[in-house]
Structure formats: structure tokens, C-alpha cells
Amino acid sequence: MLAAGAHISKEKDLNAHIEAFVAQIKRRQIQGSYNVALATSQLLLRVVSAARWTQIDQLVTQIKVLGKRLQSAQPRELACGNIIRRVLALIREESEDTNDSESGDGAINSPLITSMFSLLSTNDECGPNRQSQSLSDGTGRSIKKDLKPYIIEGIQELIDELKSIDESIASMGVEMIHENETILTPTPNSRTVLKFLLRTAQKRKFTVLVVEVFPNDVEKTHEFALKLAEAGIETTVITDAMVYSIMGRVGKVILGTHAVLANGGLLASAGAAMICQCANVHRTPVVVCTGLYKLSPMYPFDIESLIEVGDTGKVLEFEDGSLVDKVNVVNPLYDYVPPESVDLCITNMGGYSPNFMYRLVLDHYRQEDTTL
């Protein structure tokens, strides 16, 4: 009775924690792809630790149901769904490895602790037991007891890697930025780009042009520029209208992202698409800095559904009543940048062409989990 009461109490605490997390996502109290991804991973760690299941399918179903709730709370925050799918892939991988080791085919397989980004090397072979996800294989061993510690450890490793992603990307900056080069960035809200530039400035001297990104990120732009200037980087804030005239002096365009889609296209700060087109005209390389947790298996079939719209009052103030009634004002927070506008994607695992992103999606996600 005491054990049952303790379990009910833990279940209530977990449900309350999930409800609080859903409310935070809806109210945008957790903002930014990194913060959402980290918070989602920590929530899944708690859910898996408290979950009770007798078949691996039951755990997968629980995670999928939770994933649907989180996605419906904030449909355009793709990082949340990405982490859900990564954990589902990890669970399936652990189950398959355990089934392989118990199949008696002579192969020596131990449960593999799979991290968020260690699924690049996949095993396409399908043994007779790879579809089995039941509790018992006839030997009396409990898969729940066998797999749970490995799944928890895998999620914890995923969390640790999330925390080190920006440093991994920043370490590649010396290879990307040359001495006395001029860099332009239109994504001042990207912590990855900020760390990338700050880390590179320790060994390279270069100039940074920060696009104002009016009207949504003006304050963040000046904060971003101030941090660069405090690090000794020559920094200039320019308006969006100056980009074309100054692009001929730019050596590289460095972009941060909100999400990277399966076709290699990406969602970035509003105005980024125009800047990338301008860079393409001037043959200026466009380099994207992104962690693989932003990689989504979704394709941009309906681009408008992926673009979040912000406060139109920042574009046209409501005090201008004579104009407000006569025009339709839209203030998108993000732009869709097609893959052909990007030259290189720098991830925590190295640099890749946008055309290779579809392969990373196949390596990091399971097809059955694309739709939660």
C-alpha cells in the first residue's frame, strides 16, 4: 500500500510538472530553440525515470502522446519535436540492440548508450528479432530493468551534449574566418553566432557588421554589438537598407538559425532571405552556424505555416489611425531561406552542404516518428 501511494504521489508530481511546462511553452516563458530543447530533454529524463511500462511500445506511445501535447502548445517551435524524436530513436535503438544480443546468433552486442548525435553510423541490417519490442524473450529477463538505465543515461548524455554544442561549433571559427576579414551577420539573437565570433576573435582580427533587423530585434542587435565590441572586435551596426551597397566589402555572411529543415532550407530572422540573395549576387559565401538539435525532418511544403507572425504595431503604430484602416500589415519573425542560398552549414559534428541535410535526417530520426 505504501509503495502504491508513493507511486501515485510521484505520478501526480510528474503530471503537475508537465502541465507547468506546457503552460510555459504556451506563454513563451521559455524562448529560443536552445532553451526549449534543453528544457524538453530534462522533462523527458524525468518522464522516462518515472514511467512504468511492460513493453517498449508502451514507453514509445507515452513519449509520443507527450510530444503531441508539447507540439500543440507551440507548433512553430520545432526544437521541441526534434528532441522528442531523438529520444524515440534512442529508445528504439536500445531495444533493437538488446534484442540482437539476446537472439543467440553468435553476435556479441551490448546495449549501446546512444547520444544525440552518435546515430550517424546506422546499421541497416534487419535480424529476425529487430521488430520485437516485448517485455520478455522467454528467458525470464525483464527488458524494462535492462533498458531503463541505458535510456536514462542516453538522455543525460544528450543533455550534456546540448550544453556543449555552442563550444563545439565555436572551435571551428578559426578555420572559417580569415585575418582582417569583414563579416556580416543578420541574426543578432543567435547565441551560437555570438560564441562563434567571440571564440574566433581570440586568434583572429576581423570586423563585424551587424544588421539591425528592424523592427523585431533592434534592442538585441545593439546588445549583440556591444558584447562584440567589449571583446575587442571592431563592430558596426547597419540598417537593413545598407546591406546591398556594402555587400561588396563583405567576406562572409554568418547566419544563425531557428530551424533547419530536411531539404536543407532554414528558418532565420526576418530579412535573412533578402540578405542571402544579396550575398549570392555578389558571390559572397553564406555560412550557417547551427546545432543538430535544430535539424527537423519536416519539409517546407507549406512555408506560411512555419513562419511565426509578430506584433504589427512595431511596423505601423496604432496611433496612425488613418493608415491602419487602409493597409494590411504583416510582421513575420522569421524568413525561409532556400538551400541554394546557403554555401555551408557548420554543426557541432562538422561542416556539411545543405544538400546533405536529408541524409542527416535519415541518420538521426526514425521514419515512423516523423509524425508524432
Side-chain angles (χ1 to χ4, degrees):
M1 293 294 292
L2 290 176
H7 173 69
I8 293 174
S9 177
K10 287 182 179 179
E11 195 171 85
K12 288 183 178 179
D13 290 342
L14 179 60
N15 290 334
H17 188 75
I18 293 174
E19 292 292 340
F21 184 80
V22 171
Q24 287 178 320
I25 292 289
K26 283 183 177 179
R27 297 168 185 167
R28 303 308 296 267
Q29 293 175 334
I30 303 177
Q31 293 187 1
S33 298
Y34 172 79
N35 293 328
V36 171
L38 184 60
T40 304
S41 301
Q42 293 170 339
L43 176 66
L44 288 175
L45 179 63
R46 186 166 180 175
V47 168
V48 172
S49 300
R52 300 180 71 181
W53 40 277
T54 56
Q55 290 185 335
I56 202 70
D57 282 340
Q58 294 175 346
L59 178 60
V60 169
T61 300
Q62 290 180 38
I63 300 299
K64 279 196 169 187
V65 169
L66 176 61
K68 288 180 181 178
R69 285 191 63 189
L70 298 182
Q71 276 202 328
S72 62
Q74 194 56 253
R76 295 182 178 89
E77 189 55 77
L78 303 183
C80 182
N82 296 342
I83 295 298
I84 295 287
R85 295 182 182 95
R86 292 311 312 235
V87 171
L88 287 172
L90 183 145
I91 293 171
R92 296 182 191 278
E93 183 83 7
E94 295 292 354
S95 175
E96 290 171 359
D97 287 341
T98 300
N99 289 336
D100 282 348
S101 67
E102 295 172 350
S103 62
D105 58 0
I108 301 176
N109 292 312
S110 61
L112 180 62
I113 302 173
T114 309
S115 67
M116 182 179 181
F117 306 113
S118 64
L119 295 177
L120 279 174
S121 297
T122 57
N123 186 1
D124 295 327
E125 297 180 1
C126 294
N129 296 319
R130 293 187 71 85
Q131 300 301 318
S132 174
Q133 298 190 14
S134 61
L135 170 66
S136 175
D137 61 351
T139 63
R141 295 178 57 187
S142 173
I143 289 181
K144 181 180 81 169
K145 292 182 179 178
D146 288 339
L147 285 186
K148 198 169 192 177
Y150 296 104
I151 295 173
I152 291 173
E153 192 168 353
I155 298 175
Q156 184 59 59
E157 189 175 342
L158 184 153
I159 293 172
D160 294 339
E161 291 186 0
L162 279 174
K163 294 178 179 179
S164 64
I165 278 176
D166 289 343
E167 290 299 325
S168 300
I169 296 174
S171 64
M172 306 177 199
V174 177
E175 302 174 8
M176 294 292 109
I177 297 178
H178 303 142
E179 191 73 16
N180 297 320
E181 191 172 24
T182 299
I183 303 298
L184 184 143
T185 178
T187 50
N189 56 348
S190 172
R191 50 177 284 150
T192 305
V193 172
L194 178 61
K195 290 187 177 182
F196 181 83
L197 296 174
L198 291 177
R199 178 76 173 271
T200 307
Q202 297 175 4
K203 296 184 178 180
R204 291 280 191 273
K205 182 180 179 181
F206 55 92
T207 301
V208 177
L209 303 177
V210 185
V211 183
E212 192 175 35
V213 195
F214 181 85
N216 297 311
D217 294 324
V218 176
E219 293 182 3
K220 292 181 180 179
T221 297
H222 290 277
E223 293 174 3
F224 184 91
L226 181 61
K227 291 177 181 178
L228 294 179
E230 290 175 346
I233 303 174
E234 185 178 344
T235 308
T236 304
V237 177
I238 65 173
T239 63
D240 300 66
M242 292 179 61
V243 170
Y244 190 86
S245 62
I246 208 170
M247 186 60 74
R249 297 168 50 191
V250 174
K252 286 185 181 71
V253 174
I254 305 293
L255 280 180
T257 67
H258 175 68
V260 180
L261 304 178
N263 69 330
L266 53 96
L267 300 179
S269 297
M274 180 271 294
I275 293 173
C276 289
Q277 289 179 356
C278 179
N280 296 155
V281 171
H282 286 80
R283 299 295 189 268
T284 302
V286 177
V287 178
V288 173
C289 296
T290 181
L292 284 182
Y293 67 90
K294 295 183 180 181
L295 178 63
S296 171
M298 298 179 62
Y299 282 86
F301 297 121
D302 184 6
I303 296 176
E304 291 186 1
S305 67
L306 300 174
I307 304 298
E308 186 173 354
V309 178
D311 181 12
T312 57
K314 293 182 178 181
V315 179
L316 183 64
E317 296 183 359
F318 294 104
E319 286 80 1
D320 301 324
S322 58
L323 288 176
V324 170
D325 295 335
K326 299 177 181 178
V327 297
N328 183 22
V329 181
V330 179
N331 179 23
L333 298 181
Y334 303 108
D335 266 354
Y336 170 71
V337 180
E340 55 268 20
S341 295
V342 178
D343 295 284
L344 181 67
C345 292
I346 302 177
T347 73
N348 48 295
M349 294 192 65
Y352 298 96
S353 166
N355 297 327
F356 191 73
M357 287 299 157
Y358 82 96
R359 181 62 208 179
L360 294 181
V361 169
L362 295 177
D363 289 338
H364 286 74
Y365 298 107
R366 295 301 184 94
Q367 187 174 0
E368 56 265 42
D369 298 327
T370 300
T371 301
L372 293 176

